[in-house]
Amino acid sequence: MAEKAQKTLTIEIDGRSIEAKPGQMLIQVADDSGIYIPRFCYHKKLSIAANCRMCLVDVEGARKPTPACATPIMDGMKVFTKSQKTIAYQKSIMEFLLINHPLDCPICDQGGECELQDVAMGYGNDVSHFAEAKRVVPNPDLGSLISTDMTRCIQCTRCVRFGEEIAGVRELGMIDRGDSAKISTYVEKTLDSEISGNIIDVCPVGALTSKPYRYRARAWELQQKDTLSPHDGLGSNMHVHVRRNDVMRVVPKENEALNEVWLSDRDRFSYQGLYAEDRLASPIIKKNGDWVEVSWEEAIDFVKVAVQMVSKDSGAEKIGALASESATVEELYLLQKLMRGIGSNNIDSRLKQVDFSQNVSAGSGIDCSPAEIEASDCIFLFGSHLQKEHPLLNLRVKKAADAGAKVIVANSFANHSSYNADEHVFETAELIHVLAAIVKGVQQRVSVELPYDEALAKLLDVVSVNAEIEHMVRTILDAERPIFLLGSKIVMHKDFSTFNVLFKVLQALLPIRGGVLSFGANARGAEIIGAVPYHGAKGKKLVKNGADTYGMLSGDAELELIFLLNNEPESDTQYGETAISTLKNTDIVVALSPFASKAMLEYADIILPINTFVENSGAYVNFNGVHQTFKPTAKAFGKAKPAWKILRVIANYLELEGYNYASTEDVLLEIDNLEKHKVGADIESMLPKSLPASQEALQAEPQISLYAVDNIVRRAPALNATLDHYKSSSVAISDILAEQLGIESGDEILLRTTQGDVQLPVLVKTGLAAKTILLPVGLNVEARATVLQLSKVVDEVMS
């Protein structure tokens, strides 16, 4: 009882009395108190190794020097970090660590920000007792992202522990012994991790550095500015390092609530795409089939006349707009305000969806924070390869799993996760029946009456709760803090609306948290401020007032003028060549884009260069509702302008009222309470009359590379050279199907689609459902009715 009552211990460091919590290590208490102790192997997010010994301190009563990182505090302990004895310990260790370290600071990329360099200045000697030749260590090839100079390695093992404990992949390790010991991969394997770049940050020396940044700048030449990631819905905080207006690199900014101290490779290396060859510096207009550079005045006047002509001749309902899920709140708000101001509700930002039957949006997000996911005791990942979709959110799930939480995965392929998970593989067309069966299993076990019980019973009558489903249901019901996450496979599924309403029914039956993990940095913000074709509710149903993404890109809406805000429909949607064909046949296409892609040059009539996120200011709303703002970190490229300013000027040219904004802050003030624009629908009105029929034939499932989610990432050479990108840019088939066809990984296969033939490499994927084929998004594959030559071949083999 006395120990339980004692909440703090009192220790003395350098004569200073400090209160600390039981179980803390000396180095943690010192750091919290602002007392510096040198270290190399210690990192607050990694386990304690105590192998560098640089943090040795003198503890009263101890017979020998004590490593501060591995010594738990005791009440009354007296520690000396600046005593003559302590300094002597640390200087001896410093000399030992420098025995084999090369004296190449002038050519080392870590120079000027190297922990070893800094500590050596304070604890190093002028002369070493070591006169023998220094050792040389060969450099393993870790891929396109990490550069190695292993002769500089001091064997602190931070990189090894990061891989094992954080990333969950044992790709690096210490091999050999004595002065032959070195860090390496097994059998010279390159790194295959979506967060591998973090070993650059944890490495205290120049052994592991950024390959794209190598020899590009010195630390003292860089200015550090803060921004947010535009590539996924987590809202990772980042430092951008700029030299003479060019972004040189990106590193993580600590935010414990979101990305902690880590950054995904997608966020870290995508800056390469900012200055791609097709970056547009000035407005261009197509005249007589040729692209001509024009002034901003002429460009805006062109847009004004186009809008007025279409509105007068055909009506404003023939004008539409498609916006990126990563456009800022201000840009999306002004775009939807502009469209509705001219009399059109044809606006959508749900680019990756194909199912709009209930006007639902993946931007509805989740109702739990990353910390709550980490604290959960049961996490259900449905239709999600979270490790590749949202790498840093996956780290939270891994921490939960490591703490004993049960993780259930239902997908069309085995994820081979970085943590223990109960994985269930289903054909992609069967996933909807699996979720329906889970809902039915839960309903049978709980006593909750719903106003739509009769309609729900009729809907679920066709599914049965087998032993596999029963096991999942029991696991969820036994949990105290269950979380259910719907992933990208569900967002891009043709039955997304039904998945969405079944999840809402599940939430009505159980105290379960979760939701949909959307694409883009601002999908939730887009829905909140009305960048969707519905903008209100009538009774229990959302009112659809305009054309959605499918209607605009399929040609069903028969639009005559389309605005594109920071997106390339041929790559950002599932419609591929269909989108290109529709846009080519549209009278006028106005693209607000930082880049002029090859396809865009074919279908657009005018391209207005806009700033990328590093040159922009604005706000994002992440998928759990956190509002964050950011400022420009670099000057505009060429004559490019912020998209919100362009939209404001277009509105002014059209003489629309209410566009007197001087800054993005003015736009946010008008929006006021973002949540007030959000509308919702009643669950009963969203319930479909029946579930989709089961399929026996081959089933195509779209997949998108984590390095192809937006126009900046797609243009980053280092990311496009990774194994991850290759895997998701191939046609993936199961090992069962490959054996039947006599196909091996690396072979090429012909896809015959309604838009023509495409030849792509095949990846034989172990653990993929036998009849499911994964098709890359954006490679002229028509999303509504894909016809595969492969399916005919397989039918013949199976018969």
Side-chain angles (χ1 to χ4, degrees), residues 676-688:
K676 75 179 181 183
H677 296 272
K678 191 172 182 180
V679 293
D682 184 81
I683 293 177
E684 185 174 4
S685 68
M686 296 173 68
L687 281 175

Side-chain angles (χ1 to χ4, degrees), residues 219-235:
W220 53 84
E221 298 177 294
L222 305 177
Q223 290 181 300
Q224 178 169 287
K225 300 180 181 181
D226 299 341
T227 190
L228 305 174
S229 164
H231 307 307
D232 65 37
L234 181 62

Side-chain angles (χ1 to χ4, degrees), residues 395-695:
L395 297 187
R396 302 288 188 157
V397 176
K398 182 182 183 301
K399 288 167 80 172
D402 291 345
K406 294 181 179 180
V407 180
I408 309 171
V409 181
N411 209 348
S412 59
F413 57 86
N415 291 340
H416 307 298
S417 303
S418 56
Y419 40 81
N420 291 328
D422 181 14
E423 298 201 65
H424 302 265
V425 176
F426 302 96
E427 300 291 351
T428 188
E430 293 303 312
L431 285 172
I432 190 67
H433 299 94
V434 172
L435 183 53
I438 291 171
V439 172
K440 186 173 184 176
V442 169
Q443 188 184 34
Q444 290 173 348
R445 285 174 163 265
V446 300
S447 55
V448 177
E449 291 187 11
L450 301 174
Y452 43 86
D453 269 343
E454 188 175 335
L456 182 61
K458 185 177 180 181
L459 177 68
L460 302 180
D461 186 54
V462 295
V463 298
S464 58
V465 182
N466 58 27
E468 188 175 15
I469 301 295
E470 182 70 24
H471 169 70
M472 295 187 220
V473 169
R474 222 180 306 115
T475 304
I476 296 172
L477 290 173
D478 289 344
E480 294 182 3
R481 300 176 301 280
I483 285 176
F484 199 103
L485 300 174
L486 299 168
S488 68
K489 304 294 182 186
I490 306 304
V491 174
M492 296 190 292
H493 201 284
K494 63 183 181 62
D495 299 312
F496 171 63
S497 296
T498 305
F499 281 107
N500 184 71
V501 71
L502 286 174
F503 170 68
K504 291 184 181 299
V505 172
L506 192 62
Q507 283 195 306
L509 294 170
L510 284 177
I512 191 169
R513 310 283 293 280
V516 183
L517 296 172
S518 56
F519 287 94
N522 199 33
R524 185 159 183 170
E527 187 196 27
I528 290 171
I529 56 85
V532 284
Y534 53 88
H535 201 55
K538 184 177 181 180
K540 295 181 178 181
K541 290 189 176 182
L542 292 172
V543 178
K544 182 178 179 181
N545 300 314
D548 52 37
T549 300
Y550 173 71
M552 286 187 258
L553 293 181
S554 67
D556 283 5
E558 299 181 343
L559 301 181
E560 296 180 14
L561 190 158
I562 296 179
F563 286 93
L564 300 177
L565 174 59
N566 199 21
N567 68 88
E568 298 161 339
E570 69 277 8
S571 300
D572 286 319
T573 72
Q574 295 190 47
Y575 305 111
E577 289 293 330
T578 299
I580 294 177
S581 177
T582 299
L583 291 170
K584 281 183 178 179
N585 292 326
T586 303
D587 291 345
I588 303 170
V589 175
V590 179
L592 284 73
S593 172
F595 309 100
S597 70
K598 183 179 179 181
M600 187 176 288
L601 290 173
E602 292 180 9
Y603 59 67
D605 296 282
I606 179 170
I607 308 178
L608 307 177
I610 64 173
N611 292 349
T612 61
F613 76 102
V614 297
E615 303 135 6
N616 208 4
S617 62
Y620 288 147
V621 183
N622 81 344
F623 44 41
N624 65 294
V626 176
H627 299 196
Q628 298 184 96
T629 59
F630 60 97
K631 297 290 185 182
T633 57
K635 292 182 181 178
F637 183 87
K639 297 178 182 178
K641 303 288 184 184
W644 72 269
K645 282 189 177 181
I646 298 173
L647 294 169
R648 180 198 66 185
V649 174
I650 291 173
N652 288 333
Y653 267 54
L654 291 169
E655 298 181 354
L656 300 177
E657 294 184 1
Y659 286 86
N660 298 318
Y661 310 109
S663 66
T664 52
E665 287 83 357
D666 290 346
V667 182
L668 283 181
L669 283 174
E670 178 172 305
I671 296 172
D672 189 19
N673 181 8
L674 294 177
E675 296 291 343
K676 75 179 181 183
H677 296 272
K678 191 172 182 180
V679 293
D682 184 81
I683 293 177
E684 185 174 4
S685 68
M686 296 173 68
L687 281 175
K689 293 181 179 179
S690 62
L691 295 174
S694 297
Q695 295 183 30

